[in-house]
Amino acid sequence: PAINLSLGNDINASCLDNTFITPTLSGGSGGFEYTWIVADTVFSDLPNIQLQSFETVNVALSIVDNCGTLAADEISYNIPNIPITFVQHPDTVVCPGSDVNLFAIASGGEAGFEYRWVGTSQDSTHVRYNNLFTSFPATITATDICGKSNSSTINVTVAPVEAIFASQEVDSD
């Protein structure tokens, strides 16, 4: 008899999910041999699997019974690829010797971000730079819970000081 096999609908998951996938199976002559293929690689020979992935992959199952009857099904295990973006302090100009407070807040990705301001030990959404005399790019990197990162830069410009001199005649008397 024919084997009726279904893995069901495509699965939408997070990179942190451990998802059990169990086929619906009927018919056949018993003595089933299972071959699970995940991302074009043999994954398991068990009747069901537990899957976790950091990217979208195809999941296929091939079954053969005692009489050599074959059945197969395939689904997509979808991991969202949502870009990490920032709401941040705009590029800014400060006077020499001034301090500046900057912020950048990430969104998108798989929320739960770790932050790092490049060249500092700051690991939050805010950073303060003190007593500035040199312009520089302030770069922040946000890494989501799946390990995906993105960076953004805020340009801090220290305004040049212009001295204006006026000449005045000196009386020699």
Side-chain angles (χ1 to χ4, degrees):
I3 301 172
N4 298 311
L5 168 65
S6 175
L7 293 177
N9 296 324
D10 289 347
I11 297 171
N12 295 316
S14 162
C15 66
L16 298 180
D17 291 346
N18 282 301
T19 305
F20 287 96
I21 303 175
T22 302
T24 302
L25 178 65
S26 64
S29 61
F32 299 109
E33 292 182 20
Y34 300 84
T35 304
W36 289 91
I37 298 173
V38 176
D40 299 324
T41 303
V42 174
F43 184 80
S44 176
D45 62 358
L46 299 174
N48 51 53
I49 61 171
Q50 182 176 353
L51 184 62
Q52 189 242 351
S53 180
F54 289 99
E55 60 189 15
T56 296
V57 292
N58 289 326
V59 177
L61 174 60
S62 175
I63 295 178
V64 177
D65 69 10
N66 282 338
C67 295
T69 304
L70 176 68
D73 195 14
E74 182 175 15
I75 59 171
S76 182
Y77 188 80
N78 299 310
I79 304 298
N81 186 17
I82 303 167
I84 297 171
T85 58
F86 291 90
V87 173
Q88 68 187 38
H89 194 283
D91 290 349
T92 190
V93 177
V94 297
C95 294
S98 295
D99 302 337
V100 67
N101 292 303
L102 304 176
F103 74 91
I105 301 170
S107 62
E110 291 276 332
F113 296 99
E114 291 184 10
Y115 294 91
R116 175 67 58 196
W117 291 90
V118 175
T120 75
S121 60
Q122 297 297 312
D123 60 358
S124 69
T125 58
H126 292 75
V127 67
R128 179 179 179 88
Y129 294 95
N130 298 311
N131 199 23
L132 298 173
F133 287 95
T134 305
S135 300
F136 65 97
T139 300
I140 186 170
T141 299
T143 304
D144 72 9
I145 59 176
C146 295
K148 294 182 181 175
S149 296
N150 194 15
S151 297
S152 187
T153 299
I154 302 167
N155 292 304
V156 177
T157 302
V158 176
V161 175
E162 295 183 28
I164 300 175
F165 296 98
S167 63
Q168 185 176 19
E169 279 191 37
V170 177
D171 204 0
S172 60
D173 289 335

